[in-house]
């Protein structure tokens, strides 16, 4: 955000004079320097941000840390926070954001809400007006703390530089431990400027009022194992908790020993590979047929690191009423929140899963598993085949993803925005490795995709990153093409353009008598826009050109924007209509 | 499940902003707070929130977990009215002339357990403490004589079965808290009301 420099620090600009480092006082650091020292001690090496008046002292200090801390200048603060989310999700590390006070900070709000519901570890630093100006309606003063309270795991306002090392240590500790989440630290300008005797940085290991990991009670694990061993039709539902807990190996061992079919929420996708024989597919509104129908037929659900979101459960009073429920979660408030657990195993699944694996009997559920395969066959014949290998004139979203799978072999990180293309990507993308599906789940934030893909590339530079975005979502944060231009980060962007806000249109078609109310959205010439940003692009409307265009995109050095024109009124199926039970899933 | 009065007792760090963090957990769910009090607790530096709402136990239990999830909250209890001893303080300002002329002040003091806090020529302030019904009765009594001002404090409550927080705090301060304070304390006793 632009800002008028505060009078206190107006400087005369003399042309031709090179910038001088600030005067050093031995043993003393400014609050700003203490922030950056904290980053180094926490192994931060990248910051996504945007400068402005109230955060200028920190940016000034950053000038001298450029060799250790990479700063990505975004085009809008929302882009910064989504990029930090993408970084955190791809790397398993904490994302760091800088924004200035007032509008800079309020632009973070959507990303904070998104990170909160999707449990993404972030530390956001916002500048704030001088402490003596708080509450005076000063220029760019906004009550950021109270705005962000419901959408942060923790937030705090620093008004005194001496607090900074301990508060930053607390911030990183809270963001990454337990159920991760976003933390916002608002630092007044005086605290950034003040110098104080610096006594080093001490990482935080314990806060007396905060217990990130509930103690595991062995008897609940034993009860859970007993239910599993007695079950004839057990069914595993897993969520992002497996990935956040870095428990993919432990999870796979549990699934394989127990022989239980397992289905995933969209944030849990990729924790075990797509083609694992016990991976029976996706849960929820646009999930796979078998997992939804058989939820209401199984005799035991083992929910691991997932929160029974309404998009997963459909109508709650008709959800798995016949089944006993085992719920493993690190967050005690999730147990019994939406679905009452028969046995709640509170704890970190990295620890609880091996305990459970030890106690469960080695089994194969051949007949039960076959039922999932049978439903898969039905879904394949009625929906999937038409989507992946269409014979119609128009391109489908599914065939684009299918072709991407064939070209990448499933090694790419798929980043999606929100809408039809998101559901199609989650359904059809092939994942070989964990942390491969980055999407806005709980919040459903359109505009998430492009900036998140930028961050994801920095989080996993060795992996190809493919952003799949709709023609609606891309226009919400299209300015981040500027960030790509400046940083030359290598992100492949596929715009699936159906010339509609497709998901809303689908609902209007199915549930509002085709009254298409304001879903007809026009697009700019994306290839020309990309060109304006120095990014190469291509538009594809014919099936014959798709494969070669995708190859060109993947082989291109640097970023590439591929616009694919797809069927205007294609729908995503299967679908569990809102207010219906999961077993009432529709195939058309 | 029947809605009834529940009293939350929350032990928390004394931190700016925590009150808002706790209050919005109720407002987000459109739960009206009947009474809200923050005071010191038996332990220095730890605040004690006493919050009263009218809800079902199921809702209360979920809200308790959401509150306990907050970083600066140590422990949340919720109790029905028969599990606590509670008081509210009320103050009544009346015209001294009216009262002196028409009321048997002695009776007032005895029957309602009231106390005169200030007696001036122009007005007198009485105080009474007790349950809502008790302090309400005194309103009814004084109203005919012109009640100039009335105010009542939030509820404060002592949990009958509690042995205080001193021992628990020691556990919290350990890097590895003992089973006494772990969250799944009552997991197997879901009907138990005393704690979540």
């Amino acid at each position: 955000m632009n800002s008028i420099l505060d009078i206190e620090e107006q400087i005369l600009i003399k042309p031709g004079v090179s910038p001088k480092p600030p005067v050093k006082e031995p043993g003393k650091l400014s609050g700003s320097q203490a922030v950056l020292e904290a980053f180094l001690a926490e192994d931060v090496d990248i910051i996504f941000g945007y400068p402005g008046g109230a955060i200028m002292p920190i940016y000034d200090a950053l000038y001298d840390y450029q060799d250790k801390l990479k700063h990505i200048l975004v085009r809008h603060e929302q882009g910064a926070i989504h990029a930090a989310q993408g970084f955190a999700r791809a790397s398993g590390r904490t994302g760091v954001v800088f924004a200035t006070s007032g509008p800079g900070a309020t632009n973070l709000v959507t990303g904070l809400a998104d990170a909160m519901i999707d449990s993404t570890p972030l530390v956001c630093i916002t500048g704030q007006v001088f402490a003596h100006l708080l509450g005076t309606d000063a220029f760019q003063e906004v009550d950021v703390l109270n705005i962000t309270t419901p959408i942060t795991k923790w937030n705090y306002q620093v008004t005194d530089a001496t607090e900074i090392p301990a508060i930053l240590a607390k911030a990183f500790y809270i963001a990454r431990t337990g159920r991760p989440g976003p933390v916002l630290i608002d630092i007044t300008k005086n605290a950034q400027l003040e110098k104080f005797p610096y006594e080093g940085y001490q990482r935080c290991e314990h806060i007396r009022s905060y217990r990130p990991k509930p103690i595991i009670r062995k008897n609940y694990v034993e009860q859970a194992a007993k239910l599993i061993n007695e079950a004839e039709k057990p069914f595993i539902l897993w969520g992002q908790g497996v990935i956040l807990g870095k428990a993919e190996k432990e999870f796979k061992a549990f699934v394989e020993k127990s022989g239980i079919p397992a289905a995933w929420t969209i944030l849990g996708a990729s924790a075990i590979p797509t083609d694992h024989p016990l991976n029976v597919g996706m849960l929820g509104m646009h999930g796979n047929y078998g997992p939804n129908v058989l939820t209401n037929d199984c005799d035991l659900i083992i929910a691991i690191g997932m929160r029974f979101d309404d998009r997963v459960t459909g109508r709650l009073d008709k959800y798995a009423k016949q089944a006993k429920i085992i719920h493993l979660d690190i967050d005690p408030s999730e147990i019994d929140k939406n679905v009452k657990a028969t046995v709640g195993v509170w704890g970190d699944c990295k620890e609880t899963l091996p305990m459970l694996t030890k106690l469960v009997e080695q089994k194969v559920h051949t007949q039960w598993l076959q039922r999932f395969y049978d439903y898969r066959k039905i879904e394949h014949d009625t929906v999937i085949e038409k989507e992946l290998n269409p014979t119609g004139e128009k391109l489908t979203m599914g065939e684009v993803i299918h072709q991407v799978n064939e070209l990448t072999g499933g090694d790419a990180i798929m980043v999606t925005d929100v809408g039809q293309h998101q559901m199609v990507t989650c359904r059809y993308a092939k994942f070989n490795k964990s942390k491969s599906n980055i999407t806005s789940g709980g919040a459903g934030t359109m505009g998430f995709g492009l900036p998140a893909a930028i961050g994801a590339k920095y989080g996993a530079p060795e992996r190809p990153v493919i952003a799949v975005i709709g023609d609606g979502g891309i226009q919400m944060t299209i300015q981040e093409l500027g960030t790509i231009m400046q940083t030359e980060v290598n992100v492949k962007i596929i715009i699936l353009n159906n010339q509609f806000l497709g998901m809303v249109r689908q609902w209007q078609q199915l549930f509002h008598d085709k009254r298409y109310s304001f879903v007809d959205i026009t697009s700019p010439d994306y290839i020309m826009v990309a060109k304006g940003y120095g990014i190469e692009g291509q538009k594809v409307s014919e099936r014959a050109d798709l494969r070669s265009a995708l190859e060109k995109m993947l082989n291109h050095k640097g970023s590439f924007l591929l616009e694919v024109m797809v069927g205007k009124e294609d729908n995503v199926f299967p679908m569990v209509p809102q207010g219906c039970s999961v077993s009432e899933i529709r195939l058309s | 499940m029947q809605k009834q009065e529940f009293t939350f007792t929350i032990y928390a760090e004394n931190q700016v902003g925590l009150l808002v963090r706790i209050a919005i957990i109720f407002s987000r769910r459109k739960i009206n707070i009947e009474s809200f009090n923050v005071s010191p607790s038996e332990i220095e530096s730890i605040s004690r929130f006493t919050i009263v709402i009218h809800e079902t136990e199921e809702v209360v239990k979920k809200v308790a977990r959401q509150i306990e999830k907050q970083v600066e909250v140590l422990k949340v209890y919720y109790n029905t009215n028969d599990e606590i001893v509670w008081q509210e303080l009320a103050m009544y300002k009346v015209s001294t002339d009216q009262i002196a002329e028409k009321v048997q002040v002695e009776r007032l003091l005895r029957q309602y357990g009231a106390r005169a806090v200030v007696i001036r020529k122009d007005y007198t302030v009485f105080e009474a403490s007790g349950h809502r019904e008790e302090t309400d009765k005194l309103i009814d009594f004084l109203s005919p004589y012109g009640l100039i001002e009335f105010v009542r404090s939030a509820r404060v409550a002592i949990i009958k079965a509690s042995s205080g927080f001193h021992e628990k705090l020691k556990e919290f301060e350990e890097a590895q808290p003992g089973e006494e304070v772990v969250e799944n304390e009552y997991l197997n006793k879901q009907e138990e009301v005393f704690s979540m």
Side-chain angles (χ1 to χ4, degrees):
Chain A
M1 289 295 135
N2 293 323
S3 149
I4 299 160
L5 290 174
D6 293 279
I7 288 169
E8 277 107 304
E9 44 172 309
Q10 275 192 13
I11 42 163
L12 287 171
I13 300 162
K14 295 179 197 152
V17 175
S18 63
K20 279 185 201 148
V23 187
K24 276 194 180 145
E25 289 179 48
K28 282 194 165 183
L29 283 189
S30 69
S32 301
Q33 288 168 319
V35 169
L36 302 177
E37 286 296 326
F39 287 179
L40 295 180
E42 296 287 351
D43 298 321
V44 172
D45 51 22
I46 190 162
I47 302 157
F48 300 91
Y50 205 102
I55 199 170
M56 282 188 58
I58 289 180
Y59 270 86
D60 183 62
L62 187 59
Y63 193 87
D64 294 324
Y65 281 77
Q66 287 177 68
D67 53 334
K68 295 175 206 139
L69 292 167
K70 196 175 175 70
H71 178 273
I72 305 301
L73 178 65
V74 294
R75 294 299 180 268
H76 185 287
E77 288 86 353
Q78 188 188 354
I81 190 162
H82 290 330
Q85 289 178 273
F87 171 84
R89 296 266 285 273
S91 66
R93 296 163 65 194
T94 302
V96 175
V97 177
F98 278 164
T100 194
S101 66
T106 55
N107 281 343
L108 298 180
V109 166
T110 303
L112 287 169
D114 194 288
M116 185 71 175
I117 191 71
D118 283 354
S119 311
T120 311
L122 297 182
V123 171
C124 301
I125 308 286
T126 49
Q128 182 56 281
V129 300
F130 285 88
H132 70 269
L133 292 175
L134 287 170
T136 65
D137 299 332
F139 178 66
Q140 292 192 331
E141 186 207 354
V142 163
D143 184 356
V144 174
L145 234 56
N146 279 312
I147 288 176
T148 59
T149 294
I151 46 172
T152 49
K153 187 173 171 187
W154 187 62
N155 61 1
Y156 189 83
Q157 186 175 61
V158 175
T159 50
D160 180 342
T162 58
E163 291 181 282
I164 287 175
I167 290 299
L168 268 277
K170 233 177 131 176
F172 279 96
Y173 176 64
I174 291 168
R176 72 166 178 266
T177 51
R179 178 176 178 178
V183 171
L184 183 137
I185 306 296
D186 195 37
I187 308 179
T188 57
K189 201 164 177 179
N190 59 294
Q192 298 171 36
L193 291 164
E194 281 160 14
K195 292 200 166 144
F196 68 103
Y198 184 67
E199 286 160 6
Y201 183 84
Q202 206 116 42
R203 277 171 78 109
C204 178
E205 301 292 344
H206 177 66
I207 298 168
R208 71 176 181 182
S209 59
Y210 170 63
R211 281 139 302 137
K213 277 191 207 175
I215 288 177
I216 301 156
R217 290 272 181 113
K218 236 178 115 186
N219 48 332
Y220 300 123
V221 180
E222 284 162 4
Q223 285 175 30
K226 188 164 174 280
L227 288 181
I228 293 170
N229 289 335
E230 287 167 1
E232 285 176 9
K233 296 186 285 181
F235 185 23
I236 293 169
L237 318 180
W238 91 83
Q240 196 192 194
V242 173
I243 299 172
L244 290 170
K246 300 181 170 64
E248 292 92 343
K249 234 201 275 173
E250 290 79 1
F251 176 63
K252 190 159 170 265
F254 170 69
V255 172
E256 286 175 351
K257 185 176 179 196
S258 63
I260 300 173
W264 39 274
T265 71
I266 61 169
L267 293 187
S270 84
I272 55 175
T274 307
D275 51 15
H276 191 287
L278 290 167
N279 181 345
V280 293
M282 173 172 151
L283 293 165
M285 188 173 266
H286 293 288
N288 290 116
Y289 194 35
N292 275 306
V293 172
L294 294 173
T295 295
N296 279 0
D297 197 15
C298 66
D299 60 359
L300 176 69
I301 281 178
I302 306 133
I304 305 169
M306 56 87 75
R307 57 185 179 80
F308 292 106
D309 178 76
D310 61 281
R311 286 296 195 266
V312 160
T313 63
R315 191 170 157 172
L316 257 190
D317 61 359
K318 289 187 177 176
Y319 182 78
K321 286 293 165 197
Q322 79 295 342
K324 290 188 169 136
I325 313 275
I326 297 170
H327 194 171
L328 285 76
D329 208 293
I330 199 165
D331 178 356
S333 70
E334 286 301 339
I335 314 259
D336 294 343
K337 187 185 80 179
N338 294 337
V339 173
K340 197 147 180 77
T342 318
V343 177
V345 181
W346 303 11
D348 184 343
C349 65
K350 189 154 179 94
E351 294 165 26
T352 52
L353 280 172
M355 292 167 78
L356 208 48
T357 307
K358 220 169 134 188
L359 295 174
V360 297
E361 292 157 11
Q362 179 110 33
K363 272 194 188 167
V364 274
H365 295 274
T366 317
Q367 277 182 328
W368 172 232
L369 186 60
Q370 187 56 45
R371 294 194 54 198
F372 284 89
Y373 293 161
D374 292 345
Y375 277 108
R376 181 182 286 175
K377 174 91 175 50
I378 298 169
E379 186 181 347
H380 185 271
D381 294 347
T382 50
V383 179
I384 300 175
E385 179 61 22
K386 276 190 261 177
E387 183 69 28
L388 301 190
N389 300 302
T391 48
E393 185 199 344
K394 292 285 176 195
L395 287 163
T396 66
M397 293 186 180
E399 70 178 312
V400 179
I401 304 303
H402 184 56
Q403 302 259 336
V404 169
N405 287 341
E406 289 184 351
L407 292 169
T408 63
D411 287 333
I413 293 181
M414 304 298 284
V415 184
T416 53
D417 212 80
V418 170
Q420 287 184 317
H421 71 278
Q422 174 192 33
M423 291 299 113
V424 169
T425 307
C426 290
R427 283 176 56 78
Y428 299 118
K430 187 169 182 289
F431 302 119
N432 293 339
K433 289 184 193 156
S434 182
K435 301 195 188 75
S436 291
N437 189 39
I438 296 175
T439 192
S440 168
T445 304
M446 282 176 73
F448 175 85
L450 184 61
I454 296 170
K457 186 65 187 176
Y458 284 108
E462 71 290 351
R463 301 186 62 188
V465 172
I466 301 173
V468 182
I469 307 175
D471 48 323
I474 187 78
Q475 293 188 67
M476 284 203 181
T477 47
I478 198 164
Q479 77 285 346
E480 298 309 326
L481 289 174
T483 308
I484 294 177
M485 170 180 67
Q486 186 162 7
T487 56
E488 297 180 2
V489 65
N490 182 358
V491 175
K492 314 299 184 194
I493 305 153
I494 300 176
I495 298 174
L496 296 178
N497 188 348
N498 57 8
Q499 303 164 72
F500 266 126
L501 298 173
M503 188 58 93
V504 181
R505 188 210 53 75
Q506 176 171 344
W507 283 50
Q508 287 177 346
Q509 179 192 337
L510 298 175
F511 313 118
H512 296 273
D513 302 325
K514 260 192 155 185
R515 286 153 56 91
Y516 289 170
S517 186
F518 301 100
V519 288
D520 187 350
I521 188 170
T522 55
S523 280
D525 182 335
Y526 290 116
I527 310 309
M528 214 142 94
V529 171
K531 205 172 166 194
Y533 282 105
I535 298 165
E536 201 157 324
Q538 187 180 339
K539 180 173 177 170
V540 168
S541 314
E542 302 295 327
R543 186 158 293 127
D545 305 329
L546 179 63
R547 185 71 167 214
S548 63
L550 283 168
E551 279 169 353
K552 186 176 167 196
M553 175 188 84
L554 291 169
N555 294 330
H556 182 75
K557 274 194 182 145
S559 289
F560 192 95
L561 187 146
L562 178 67
E563 180 187 10
V564 182
M565 302 306 291
V566 294
K568 271 192 89 167
E569 294 187 70
D570 289 354
N571 288 333
V572 187
F573 282 109
M575 179 177 193
V576 180
Q578 201 165 34
C580 289
S581 159
V582 283
S583 50
E584 296 172 282
I585 186 167
R586 290 171 55 172
L587 287 171
S588 62
Chain B
M1 250 194 273
Q2 202 81 41
K3 281 192 182 182
Q4 58 171 316
E5 233 170 49
F6 282 94
T7 302
F8 290 93
T9 302
I10 302 163
Y11 289 91
E13 300 291 352
N14 183 6
Q15 186 87 63
V16 175
L18 184 58
L19 189 152
V20 171
R21 211 169 248 286
I22 291 173
I24 60 177
I25 290 172
F26 294 94
S27 54
R28 175 175 172 187
R29 291 163 180 81
K30 214 169 160 94
I31 297 169
N32 189 37
I33 295 175
E34 311 281 337
S35 153
F36 195 110
N37 185 77
V38 193
S39 77
S41 69
E42 56 270 30
I43 295 161
E44 211 188 317
S45 84
I46 289 183
S47 300
R48 181 168 175 151
F49 290 68
T50 308
I51 303 169
V52 184
I53 65 169
H54 192 77
E55 260 303 341
T56 64
E57 191 184 342
E58 197 188 341
V59 170
V60 167
K61 190 184 284 178
K62 286 179 188 176
V63 167
R65 285 182 182 173
Q66 294 297 333
I67 297 170
E68 196 161 90
K69 184 162 136 177
Q70 305 308 316
V71 168
E72 278 137 348
V73 171
L74 288 113
K75 193 77 188 161
V76 180
Y77 300 99
Y78 66 84
N79 296 94
T80 54
N81 285 347
D82 51 7
E83 294 167 330
I84 55 171
V85 179
W86 85 94
Q87 291 287 64
E88 290 170 346
L89 175 77
M91 291 171 86
Y92 314 75
K93 183 158 107 184
V94 285
S95 149
T96 304
D97 282 353
Q98 286 272 323
I99 291 291
E101 208 175 296
K102 293 176 188 159
V103 183
Q104 282 186 299
V105 174
E106 209 182 303
R107 186 184 146 219
L108 177 91
L109 301 185
R110 279 176 195 280
Q111 195 173 328
Y112 295 96
R115 227 159 51 87
V117 190
V118 173
I119 304 171
R120 287 174 38 138
K121 265 191 199 153
D122 46 349
Y123 66 82
T124 297
V125 176
F126 293 105
E127 67 160 26
S129 60
H131 288 187
R132 182 74 49 101
E133 311 81 70
E134 292 163 345
T135 50
D136 276 351
K137 272 187 198 152
L138 190 49
I139 301 183
D140 295 342
F141 181 82
L142 289 172
S143 290
Y145 310 106
L147 184 57
I148 303 167
E149 270 192 74
F150 171 73
V151 64
R152 179 163 50 209
S153 76
R155 172 185 294 191
V156 291
I158 292 283
I159 303 168
K160 289 177 184 169
S162 168
S163 51
F165 210 68
H166 300 280
E167 288 308 309
K168 282 214 156 78
L169 184 68
K170 283 183 199 155
E171 303 255 11
F172 277 103
E173 282 172 346
E174 297 288 323
Q176 289 295 322
E179 292 202 342
E180 263 299 284
V181 297
V182 296
E183 291 87 337
N184 45 6
E185 198 169 354
Y186 287 94
L187 196 61
N188 237 1
K189 309 172 200 168
Q190 292 186 343
E191 301 318 312
E192 195 143 344
V193 184
F194 174 65
S195 171
M196 54 168 290

